[in-house]
Structure formats: structure tokens, C-alpha cells
Amino acid sequence: MITTTYTVKGMTCGHCVSSVTEEVGAVDGVTGVEVDLATGRVTVAGPADGDAVAAAVREAGYEVVGHP
């Protein structure tokens, strides 16, 4: 299984986690999303396009500060 981890800036609460999970989960190719609020890391499972994932994070209102 392909997994990619992104660092996301601006998440501060459970609602943030839900928003990012929902938006990223809707990206084509994403089969799973795990958000770690404490570290700001979002791990995405599946062969999703990195730019599409970053766009989904922005749509949720946050910023990707590290992505492959």
C-alpha cells in the first residue's frame, strides 16, 4: 500500500481534524486518511496526486508546509 505523509499548519482542534479528513478523503485515489493533531501530520493511503491532496487541505482552510 502506498502512504504519503504531509505536514499541515493551522490545525488546533477536533473540528480541524474532521475537516481535513473529509476533504482529503474525497480526493481521487485516497483510500484512507489519518490526521495526528499533535504533530500536524496527515498520512494519506492510496495513489493520490500530491497536488490534489494539498489543494484539499487548502480547501479545508489549512496549509500544507511539507509535502513530497
Side-chain angles (χ1 to χ4, degrees):
M1 175 186 296
I2 298 169
T3 60
T4 308
T5 302
Y6 302 82
T7 302
V8 176
K9 179 179 170 185
M11 297 186 301
T12 59
C13 64
H15 179 266
C16 301
V17 171
S18 295
S19 295
V20 170
T21 301
E22 182 178 336
E23 290 292 337
V24 173
V27 173
D28 285 342
V30 172
T31 59
V33 180
E34 289 185 29
V35 178
D36 185 329
L37 182 61
T39 64
R41 294 183 191 255
V42 177
T43 303
V44 178
D49 177 67
D51 291 335
V53 171
V57 170
R58 283 192 300 277
E59 181 68 27
Y62 308 97
E63 178 185 356
V64 173
V65 292
H67 102 69

